[in-house]
Amino acid sequence: MKASLDDLAVFGGPPAFAESLCVGRPNIGRREDFLARIGAMLDRRWLTNDGPYVREFERALERHLGGTHCIAVANATLGLGIVARALGLTGEVILPAFTFVATAHALKWPGIEPVFADVDPHTHNLDPEYAERLITSRTTGILGVHVWGRPCAVDELTELARRRGLTLLFDAGHAFGCSHGGRKIGNFGRAEVFSFHATKFVHSFEGGAIATNDADLAARLKRMRNFGFSGYDEVAELGINAKMSEAAAAMGLTSLESFDEIVKINKENHEIYCSGLGQVPGLRVVEYDPDECANYQYVVVEVETAAAGISRDALHKALWAEGVLARRYFYPGCHRMEPYRSLPRYRGVRLPMTDQLADRVLCLPTGSAVTPRDVELVCMLIEFCRAHGPELSIRLRDIVPAPVPAPHTY
Ligand SMILES: *Cc1c(COP(=O)(O)O)cnc(C)c1O
């Protein structure tokens, strides 16, 4: 461990981790099972187009979610886009600015205007009262996001959408395996969209699934993900290519079989983070409701500069040098990213809670590639940095972070 500030890697000491710890390093699951599936797939020569693995994956997801219809797609971004189109969303749709930029892009791409609402600073999720104030004659829907897999204000938003005659859907990109009121996410609104990107808790390399309780909508979405084909030579409507491949579904099935194992690892890591950082002044570890299902995929701390004596960005800089590649999700917020930032309609947008969170939040590494010992070390590093906060902050001001060898994109 570090005895003095000079031992920190950012000042030339040896990094705490020779091999970097990353946020969202993929869980692999049982390799032999995956490879056996790939072998059978090659023997069948059925590689895509509603193949047996895609169907099996969809049925497995449906069992997991408790009855809802599931439509596997190439990724969640396309999934959100086709749902928005299938539900006839036009004009403006309200969503939180504190989300992954894909939530906004998925609307913008089919020509819908994303309208950014502020979030509740405690839940990090869309503030329903703020959302209501943004409703205009052009508003057709609300897109809630279950940030970190913690359900957003589902009941309030359901009531609001009903009262104002709006379509409600959810970006459940983080929330596979999570529940609200004892019911699995995937059963709320008109539809919910999961992501099975490699960095997600359960994944299919690239992939996603739309969950809906509406059988007619499900049938339409299946058509839309396949160019709108309703028969061999018949196209019923404007579709796109949002099909999941068989290789992706083979990974999805294998990943799903490790569900319990991964939750267990994530939960244990989360608990170690909580006990290691829970008492550190100025730091707050985001907690999950113990009475609900959660996947614990995101270990999120809020750093309050004044109380901690160090800013989130200073801590981030020191940790990266140590090989702890913590992430500042969702800095700086969608409203401060292109193309939104430069468009006239977003120029006056001020979202103080989103800005505050974007300046405070740090996501820490977890998952099956991170051991309990790693987590303990990360906690000790953070506490060390905080304890030396004021001096460290001054010395860090002149440090230009060393370039990271390669972008860590899984
Ligand atoms: C990952 C993610 C997406 C994008 O999912 P893809 O499958 O990569 O398209 C969208 N929204 C949220 C909240 C996400 O975390």
Side-chain angles (χ1 to χ4, degrees), residues 75-77 99-100 102-103 145 171 173-174 195-197 200 206-207 298:
N75 59 63
T77 309
T99 180
F100 184 55
T103 318
V145 183
D171 177 341
H174 289 179
S195 172
F196 300 124
H197 179 256
K200 301 311 205 270
E206 290 274 0
Y298 295 91

Side-chain angles (χ1 to χ4, degrees), residues 184-235:
K184 284 282 166 66
I185 294 297
N187 289 279
F188 300 99
R190 295 293 306 283
E192 304 206 60
V193 182
F194 297 103
S195 172
F196 300 124
H197 179 256
T199 53
K200 301 311 205 270
F201 155 66
V202 164
H203 75 92
S204 59
F205 305 139
E206 290 274 0
I210 306 165
T212 176
N213 290 315
D214 179 340
D216 294 334
L217 178 63
R220 176 133 188 250
L221 291 168
K222 278 188 83 165
R223 212 164 60 200
M224 285 177 77
R225 79 170 168 193
N226 185 30
F227 310 101
F229 273 104
S230 56
Y232 263 113
D233 302 313
E234 203 156 280
V235 171

